[in-house]
Amino acid sequence: HSRRNLMEEYNLLRVPAVLNITGFSERTLFRKVKNQSFPQPIVLAKDTLGRSRLSAWRISDIQNWICNL
């Protein structure tokens, strides 16, 4: 499986798609994630220091968030 196929198979969205859907800037997106006013991403990979290097959001989490605006 390629990364794209896995993202589609598991209904996951990366940052650019989430920004496109929400109209947020990247800074606003991560501020909202931090203050828990937006769904938390799934961490798919971490660097050697344990920081997130690859994150994605479930499409269903984004859809639920939109429905509850």
Side-chain angles (χ1 to χ4, degrees):
H1 281 310
S2 72
R3 185 180 295 167
R4 178 182 287 291
N5 289 343
L6 287 173
M7 300 298 279
E8 290 172 3
E9 183 176 339
Y10 292 102
N11 296 310
L12 299 174
L13 298 173
R14 296 289 315 280
V15 170
V18 174
L19 298 179
N20 189 37
I21 290 168
T22 61
F24 294 158
S25 67
E26 191 167 348
R27 185 174 184 160
T28 296
L29 172 64
F30 285 103
R31 187 182 73 243
K32 288 182 172 290
V33 166
K34 185 176 181 179
N35 71 22
Q36 299 184 346
S37 62
F38 193 78
Q40 298 295 306
I42 298 167
V43 176
L44 302 173
K46 293 182 179 183
D47 66 12
T48 57
L49 298 176
R51 298 175 298 204
S52 172
R53 295 294 294 155
L54 180 63
S55 298
W57 283 260
R58 290 179 193 92
I59 292 173
S60 59
D61 289 347
I62 304 296
Q63 290 170 331
N64 289 335
W65 177 83
I66 291 168
C67 288
N68 289 311
L69 287 178

